[in-house]
Amino acid sequence: MSRYLVTSALPYANGPSHLGHLAGAYLPADIYVRFLRMCEEDVIYICGTDEHGVPITIKAEQMGITPGEVVDRFHEIISRDFERFGISFDNFSRTEKPEHYRFTQEVFLNLFKKGYIVEKSMKQFYCDECSRFLPDRYVGGTCPECGSANARGDQCEDCGSWLDALDLLKAVCEICGSSPAPRDTTHWFLRLNAFQEWLEPWLEAHDNWKSNVLNYCRGWRNEGLRERAITRDLDWGVPVPLPDASGKVLYVWFEALLGYISSTKELFTKRGDPEGWKKYWFDPETRLVQFIGKDNIVFHAIIEPSVLHGLGSYVLPWNIPANEYLTINGEKISTSRGTAIWLTDYLAHFPPDPMRYALAINAPENRDADFTWDEFRSKNNELADVFGNFVNRTIKFAHKAFEGVVPEPAVEGQAERELMASIASARDEMEELLRNFKTKAACLRVMDLAREGNRYFDQSQPWKTAHTDRNKCATAIYYSIQLADSLRILFAPFIPFTCEKIGRMLGSSSLLWKDAGGENIPSGRKLGEPEILLEKLRKGFEEVMQPEDSRPESTDGEAGKPAIKETVSFDEFMKIDMRAGVVKEVDDIEGADKLFRLIVDMGDHSRQLVAGMKPFYSKEELINRKIVVLVNLQPVKIMGVVSNGMVLASDDGKGGVYLLQPGSDSCPGDGIH
RNA sequence: GGCGGUGUAGCUCAGUUGGCAGAGCAGCGGAAUCAUAAUCCGCGGGUCGGGGGUUCAAGUCCCUCCGCCGCUACCA
């Protein structure tokens, strides 16, 4: 027996989780962990939400709530979705826990005293409007090399030159648009270069790791490791535990990795064994296995081992089975373009197992894998037809021909011996595959065994022998039931919910890997009633999943503000054409209490608009007023008058409506973006 | 720009150290009727992105071109 410490990447709590997360870091880990438990290995599975960093503070501003409320909300949603998907964490913590703060600060001080962390002064742009320092990409401006206005703090979008943010001409804050000024600041850097000599041979020794991980590390190593800043000017996060460091927090990637350890500590505290975590993190025999997506390779294969090595005595990763990405309809999943499929939405309509199966058998193990609803339906139906139907036909037959009692096998012929041998070899091959993180191949293998079950059933023809040779019939059903139970065991890491149902029908609950291939269901046992295990899906089934359904982001905003609407892509936004205009004429519309007919000067033309402004503005207030007009809105007739666009205004939801007004220097027809 | 990945049957994907191109689904033909219109048997189908090279032998190694994707370090 070995000791395993399995982790999945800490999900970032600035939004709910989607299929890509599940397929990359959680489902493969869960399958691995369930399998190890069935082999009676000593295994714990650790995770938790990563709750710090700038994107969370930005999200909080967008939602009009505090960062703490953001992470509370998404921690809830993420942990609930994973639980409903059967991801069997032993502990799912969060980096906002006090224990995590204490531990992270301890680690910081430890490395600081050893000289692995150093303090440096530097200049950085500071935005007075936003009251924050601006990391490279939050600064825009004019490129000093080529004069393009599309430069960012790190690189010019047009000429590609590498830039220092401070060299930008006409620097602009990308958040609020105001002009930031350089200001002195102090940051702490992790001296990764100090670990390079140790790291190279350590990586070399792991030539059994997946090639994507090794290649990625090789690239980094060739560039050389540099000092890396591990602090930020922010008030959200774990404070730097040094005097004169107010306003400085430890940066996410540094502290989040330590979340694996603090989550383990929490687990053992809950178990009443506060020292128990040490045997997982300090015993060199422990196999630390970290499931991640490919975007996390550098942190887990280079930075985390360096930090742990710097601390001394901690175990280092035994393997890092990084997965590639899941694409949807051939495109990268993008939350901003709205192409993500949220776990919450899926679970509102469908059970977890079909998705677990579909993602396991087409996992992004070696390269990006594509997900489509058509493919999902095909996999779901395959599972229902081949596996679900095999179990169903077997149990139904037992009820029909043997009153639901497992019959006595009379003869064990060639076919039966071959069947049992076949189960045993499937079990052993799958074990080999699963131990080597070949989840997809293992899943294919167990489906093969289910096909073999159908073949055995067909060739035995119990529906005929029921009338001609009771013994043969009983034998066929007896062995089909044994196979059903073995399939229940071998499928359990992949589709645990379905296997539990089968267990209830067979009166069998053992989840020991070695039991597969045995004759576990004795003759004479009364079987449960057969039920449909897996529903088939028809074309177009996914249409029940529409955006208006329980989308987690659409939860009601605070203080009576409307909820934030569905995300639109930049391209979609760019379709919107807004321009400045000046109101030239205002007329009443006959029969309308609230509407005005406006004639607006758009610079190169004038156009007629209908706007519901009468309750809020008088004609005199409107004449010659500068307004913002959405000009490419589909024209519509209101009370018989054509409106060619929309006047933009803010609405406080309490009856107050206020026209947007371009600045005093703007001219009619000016574009707005 | 640099680095890395990827391109195999209509679709989704496997193809260890070079050694006769594979699976599932879809399609076509047949068998069967216990079962969720499920199952089983058989068949067809690929210039392995293009071109060049090394080799007795290349999907696999080398060069080059094309397409797509990712990373490029105070982005998480």
Side-chain angles (χ1 to χ4, degrees):
Chain A
M1 189 171 92
S2 303
R3 180 178 302 121
Y4 290 86
L5 172 54
V6 181
T7 68
S8 284
L10 304 188
Y12 196 56
N14 72 334
S17 298
H18 56 62
L19 285 191
H21 298 126
L22 186 65
Y26 305 95
L27 179 62
D30 184 62
I31 290 169
Y32 184 66
V33 165
R34 284 174 183 269
F35 162 72
L36 290 178
R37 290 188 189 123
M38 291 173 72
C39 292
E40 301 179 276
E41 301 283 10
D42 175 3
V43 49
I44 53 173
Y45 182 19
I46 296 295
C47 198
T49 40
D50 169 7
E51 308 191 332
H52 298 134
V54 175
I56 281 169
T57 60
I58 291 176
K59 187 82 184 178
E61 284 163 28
Q62 284 171 358
M63 294 173 74
I65 57 181
T66 67
E69 288 166 329
V70 170
V71 298
D72 282 352
R73 180 176 299 185
F74 289 119
H75 173 83
E76 251 345 279
I77 293 172
I78 291 168
S79 68
R80 188 201 58 205
D81 285 347
F82 281 147
E83 186 180 343
R84 286 167 68 197
F85 253 109
I87 306 301
S88 55
F89 302 120
D90 286 289
N91 197 47
F92 191 77
S93 186
R94 44 194 307 188
T95 58
E96 261 295 273
K97 293 268 172 95
E99 174 58 36
H100 177 72
Y101 273 59
R102 270 199 300 278
F103 178 67
T104 310
Q105 292 180 331
E106 262 172 42
V107 166
F108 178 91
L109 288 175
N110 186 330
L111 293 173
F112 184 71
K113 281 175 192 149
K114 288 179 175 170
Y116 291 126
I117 291 176
V118 293
E119 183 180 323
K120 284 189 175 183
S121 290
M122 56 198 286
K123 276 192 192 300
Q124 199 171 13
F125 272 122
Y126 184 87
C127 176
D128 284 321
E129 292 294 320
C130 305
S131 305
R132 62 163 59 127
F133 280 95
L134 301 174
D136 286 352
R137 292 184 192 186
Y138 287 96
V139 188
T142 301
C143 173
E145 302 290 329
C146 72
S148 157
N150 291 327
R152 288 297 187 95
D154 53 350
Q155 190 177 16
C156 172
E157 299 287 333
D158 286 340
C159 71
S161 310
W162 287 104
L163 305 173
D164 186 321
L166 296 171
D167 293 336
L168 282 175
L169 310 170
K170 297 183 196 162
V172 172
C173 169
E174 292 283 327
I175 299 167
C176 71
S178 63
S179 304
R183 191 184 274 203
D184 285 317
T185 182
T186 301
H187 282 295
W188 283 264
F189 288 72
L190 180 66
R191 293 179 52 230
L192 276 178
N193 42 332
F195 299 107
Q196 180 143 8
E197 231 171 85
W198 164 82
L199 190 66
E200 285 196 29
W202 180 75
L203 282 169
E204 286 303 325
H206 291 92
D207 54 357
N208 61 324
W209 286 6
K210 284 174 68 169
S211 59
N212 56 352
V213 177
L214 295 175
N215 283 333
Y216 198 93
C217 292
R218 209 162 288 145
W220 262 64
R221 227 171 40 207
N222 293 344
E223 283 181 44
L225 300 178
R226 298 189 209 165
E227 294 182 345
R228 224 181 128 120
I230 57 168
T231 58
R232 291 293 185 279
D233 293 287
L234 206 63
D235 54 5
W236 176 244
V238 180
V240 173
L242 290 173
D244 307 325
S246 66
K248 312 285 179 183
V249 295
L250 296 175
Y251 192 41
V252 180
W253 61 259
F254 175 76
E255 56 108 336
L257 291 169
L258 300 170
Y260 296 126
I261 304 174
S262 53
S263 180
T264 311
K265 294 174 82 165
E266 184 185 64
L267 169 66
F268 283 94
T269 302
K270 281 183 195 166
R271 287 184 179 176
D273 176 17
E275 300 298 302
W277 67 279
K278 290 183 177 169
K279 70 174 187 281
Y280 286 88
W281 280 102
F282 291 140
D283 180 352
E285 295 301 308
T286 298
R287 295 175 169 178
L288 172 59
V289 181
Q290 305 199 277
F291 285 84
I292 55 173
K294 63 178 165 187
D295 52 334
N296 262 323
I297 291 173
V298 62
F299 298 115
H300 291 77
I302 293 188
I303 294 173
E304 183 197 72
S306 298
V307 169
L308 295 176
H309 174 74
L311 292 171
S313 70
Y314 279 87
V315 295
L316 300 171
W318 180 68
N319 207 326
I320 305 175
N323 278 310
E324 301 290 305
Y325 282 147
L326 188 74
T327 60
I328 292 184
N329 297 320
E331 290 184 354
K332 188 188 172 191
I333 295 175
S334 159
T335 51
S336 57
R337 277 200 317 262
T339 58
I341 296 171
W342 305 106
L343 302 189
T344 307
D345 287 348
Y346 172 85
L347 288 167
H349 299 281
F350 307 109
D353 277 353
M355 185 59 80
R356 288 179 64 111
Y357 175 74
L359 294 179
I361 204 150
N362 189 21
E365 260 169 37
N366 299 321
R367 60 172 176 182
D368 291 354
D370 195 41
F371 178 91
T372 63
W373 283 116
D374 258 358
E375 188 69 17
F376 170 75
R377 182 170 53 90
S378 151
K379 296 299 179 200
N380 174 77
N381 291 356
E382 172 186 57
L383 183 65
D385 291 345
V386 175
F387 175 51
N389 183 49
F390 170 73
V391 174
N392 188 250
R393 74 198 291 204
T394 298
I395 293 179
K396 268 199 176 165
F397 199 97
H399 274 272
K400 201 178 262 185
F402 301 100
E403 283 99 38
V405 174
V406 180
E408 192 83 35
V411 284
E412 187 193 87
Q414 179 75 11
E416 285 72 32
R417 280 191 294 275
E418 279 175 16
L419 182 69
M420 297 313 281
S422 193
I423 299 172
S425 62
R427 176 198 63 207
D428 296 343
E429 285 167 38
M430 283 177 70
E431 172 159 359
E432 173 76 14
L433 291 167
L434 286 169
R435 284 191 183 278
N436 288 294
F437 309 103
K438 299 191 172 162
T439 311
K440 192 194 293 209
C443 193
L444 281 167
R445 187 65 189 82
V446 67
M447 271 304 273
D448 273 350
L449 186 63
R451 289 197 166 85
E452 202 165 330
N454 280 314
R455 231 171 354 251
Y456 171 76
F457 200 103
D458 275 9
Q459 284 163 8
S460 307
Q461 301 185 307
W463 58 90
K464 278 189 183 165
T465 56
H467 310 294
T468 57
D469 186 339
R470 278 304 271 186
N471 285 343
K472 271 194 177 170
C473 179
T475 303
I477 296 309
Y478 174 85
Y479 280 100
S480 292
I481 289 171
Q482 305 311 321
L483 174 57
D485 192 57
S486 288
L487 285 171
R488 175 187 67 81
I489 293 170
L490 299 178
F491 260 116
F494 303 95
I495 47 172
F497 299 97
T498 303
C499 292
E500 219 181 297
K501 274 195 197 171
I502 298 172
R504 284 199 292 275
M505 289 187 233
L506 297 179
S508 166
S509 60
S510 151
L511 279 175
L512 292 179
W513 196 256
K514 61 180 162 56
D515 284 350
E519 298 182 25
N520 307 326
I521 312 296
S523 304
R525 175 179 291 177
K526 177 78 177 144
L527 297 173
E529 287 301 314
E531 56 174 313
I532 296 295
L533 293 169
L534 299 149
E535 298 285 349
K536 296 195 67 171
L537 296 170
R538 290 159 175 272
K539 203 171 167 82
F541 71 97
E542 73 272 19
E543 276 159 26
V544 297
M545 281 189 41
Q546 290 303 314
E548 61 263 29
D549 283 316
S550 66
R551 175 153 295 195
E553 285 182 332
S554 314
T555 43
D556 286 344
E558 303 295 321
K561 295 296 178 203
I564 292 176
K565 294 178 187 171
E566 187 184 344
T567 301
V568 300
S569 69
F570 183 72
D571 286 346
E572 284 172 303
F573 172 72
M574 287 307 287
K575 291 180 186 167
I576 303 264
D577 192 341
M578 291 179 292
R579 300 185 187 190
V582 175
V583 179
K584 286 298 170 194
E585 288 179 42
V586 183
D587 291 314
D588 291 319
I589 294 173
E590 204 180 318
D593 294 338
K594 299 179 180 173
L595 301 180
F596 276 134
R597 184 178 74 95
L598 309 179
I599 301 295
V600 182
D601 177 10
M602 301 303 298
D604 52 352
H605 68 283
S606 61
R607 61 172 63 209
Q608 171 176 289
L609 305 174
V610 176
M613 285 291 136
K614 210 166 171 176
F616 311 109
Y617 288 92
S618 66
K619 286 184 187 176
E620 291 69 32
E621 285 177 289
L622 289 172
I623 292 284
N624 287 326
R625 191 183 183 100
K626 290 183 175 178
I627 59 170
V628 177
V629 181
L630 174 58
V631 293
N632 63 340
L633 188 67
Q634 188 175 10
V636 65
K637 254 191 185 180
I638 303 171
M639 297 292 282
V641 181
V642 176
S643 179
N644 293 306
M646 180 185 282
V647 180
L648 299 189
S650 68
D651 182 347
D652 65 8
K654 291 173 285 197
V657 170
Y658 309 96
L659 284 169
L660 298 187
Q661 192 161 8
S664 52
D665 293 333
S666 72
C667 298
D670 285 356
I672 291 172
H673 43 83

